[in-house]
Amino acid sequence: CIAPDAATRAGMLDTVRFDATGLVAAIAQQHDTGEVLMLAWMNRAALDETLRTGRVCYYSRSRNALWRKGETSGQVQTLVEARLDCDRDAVLLLVDQTGVACHTGRRSCFFNAMRPEGLVETSAPLVAADTLYGRG
Amino acid sequence: CIAPDAATRAGMLDTVRFDATGLVAAIAQQHDTGEVLMLAWMNRAALDETLRTGRVCYYSRSRNALWRKGETSGQVQTLVEARLDCDRDAVLLLVDQTGVACHTGRRSCFFNAMRPEGLVETSAPLVAADTLYGRG
C-alpha cells in the first residue's frame, strides 16, 4: 500500500464535507467478498491517519477519541482503498478485516434482520467477546 | 416480499436507536453483487414505510421530507432485507436497484477513490443526469 503524501492527503481531506461535529460516516466493506462489516465515524485526523498508515482508524463518539480499530482486540482493518461519495459526506472503506469486525464476535455488525416475524439474527458469534477483549 | 404487520414493525422500530435529530444512517447494498450503492438517512416513518411497502424510502435532510427513492428518476430500490447493526444505530438495506443509485448517473455514489496521486474517479456515468431527471 502506497500512502498519499502529506500535501496530497491534505488536498483530498479539504474536499470532505465533515458534519457540524466534524465527523463523516464511514462504511467498512471486506474488499474481496463485498461483505459490509460495520458503520462508524471519522474525523479529519482519523481519515488522515488511515490514509497515511494503511490501518483503519475511526473516531469514537462515546470516548471522544481516535479509535484505532483492533488496538485492543487485534481485529485490525488493513485499508485497500478509501472512496468518497458524490456529495463528499460519506466514506466507503474497502478493507481486509483480520478476524471479526463486530465486538460481539461476529464477522459483521449487521446481523439483526428485520423479518416478517420480527428481528432474527443472521449469524452467530465466531469468537466469544470475552476472548476478544482479553477477559477470557 | 412479505411485509411485517404493524405491530411487528412497531416492535422492531422501538429497538432502533435514532439520533438526537431522529435519524439513523442507512447503507444501500445491491443484494446479489454486494456493491455498496449509497449512504442516506432514515427517520422512523421512512423505515416503517420501507418495511411496509418493500420500496426504499429515505429522509432527505436537505428537504426535511420523506424521500421515496426513484420517485422522480424512476431509479427505485426494491427491498430484499433490512438489517440493524449490533448497536441498533445503523441500517443495512439489501436492495435490488433499478438502473443507477447515484444522481450523477453512476451505479454507485462511491466513485471518488483516494489514491496516492489524489482523487480518481472509479466509474463514469451510465446515463446523463439530465436524462434521469427529465431535463434531457
Side-chain angles (χ1 to χ4, degrees):
Chain A
C1 175
I2 300 167
D5 65 26
T8 304
R9 292 199 309 277
M12 292 192 290
L13 290 165
D14 283 346
T15 74
V16 179
R17 291 171 55 206
F18 296 97
D19 71 13
T21 65
L23 300 179
V24 67
I27 304 159
Q29 181 182 33
Q30 175 65 29
H31 73 102
D32 48 3
T33 66
E35 187 174 22
V36 173
L37 301 168
M38 58 186 283
L39 183 140
W41 299 85
M42 290 179 145
N43 63 1
R44 182 172 173 132
L47 183 49
D48 188 51
E49 176 171 317
T50 299
L51 294 171
R52 178 172 58 78
T53 65
R55 283 280 182 90
V56 177
C57 174
Y58 298 103
Y59 184 83
S60 168
R61 296 182 299 173
S62 55
R63 291 189 290 107
N64 289 313
L66 291 180
W67 165 28
R68 294 179 179 90
K69 175 70 180 164
E71 196 168 36
T72 306
S73 66
Q75 316 293 290
V76 298
Q77 294 177 340
T78 302
L79 183 70
V80 174
E81 184 161 280
R83 295 184 186 165
L84 288 173
D85 76 348
C86 50
D87 295 329
R88 312 283 176 103
D89 64 357
V91 181
L92 176 64
L93 304 166
L94 302 174
V95 305
D96 191 15
Q97 172 72 55
T98 297
V100 297
C102 185
H103 75 287
T104 65
R106 292 171 175 85
R107 181 82 178 160
S108 165
C109 294
F110 292 97
F111 58 82
N112 296 296
M114 304 180 91
R115 298 266 173 87
E117 65 270 35
L119 290 175
V120 175
E121 295 193 355
T122 57
S123 67
L126 299 175
V127 52
D130 281 353
T131 305
L132 273 181
Y133 296 98
R135 299 189 299 263
Chain B
C1 175
I2 302 168
D5 64 25
T8 305
R9 291 200 309 277
M12 293 192 288
L13 290 166
D14 283 346
T15 74
V16 179
R17 290 172 56 207
F18 296 97
D19 70 13
T21 65
L23 301 179
V24 68
I27 305 160
Q29 181 181 32
Q30 175 64 30
H31 73 104
D32 48 3
T33 66
E35 185 175 24
V36 173
L37 301 169
M38 57 185 284
L39 182 139
W41 299 85
M42 289 179 146
N43 62 2
R44 182 172 173 132
L47 183 50
D48 188 52
E49 175 170 318
T50 298
L51 294 172
R52 179 172 58 79
T53 65
R55 282 280 181 90
V56 177
C57 173
Y58 298 105
Y59 184 82
S60 167
R61 295 181 301 173
S62 56
R63 291 188 291 107
N64 290 314
L66 291 180
W67 165 28
R68 295 179 178 91
K69 175 71 180 162
E71 195 169 39
T72 305
S73 66
Q75 314 294 290
V76 298
Q77 295 178 339
T78 302
L79 184 69
V80 174
E81 184 160 281
R83 293 183 187 166
L84 288 173
D85 76 348
C86 51
D87 295 329
R88 312 283 177 102
D89 64 356
V91 181
L92 176 64
L93 304 166
L94 302 174
V95 305
D96 191 15
Q97 172 71 56
T98 296
V100 298
C102 186
H103 76 287
T104 66
R106 292 170 174 86
R107 181 84 179 158
S108 165
C109 294
F110 292 96
F111 58 82
N112 297 296
M114 305 181 90
R115 298 267 173 86
E117 65 271 33
L119 290 176
V120 175
E121 295 192 355
T122 57
S123 66
L126 299 176
V127 52
D130 281 353
T131 305
L132 273 181
Y133 297 99
R135 298 189 300 264

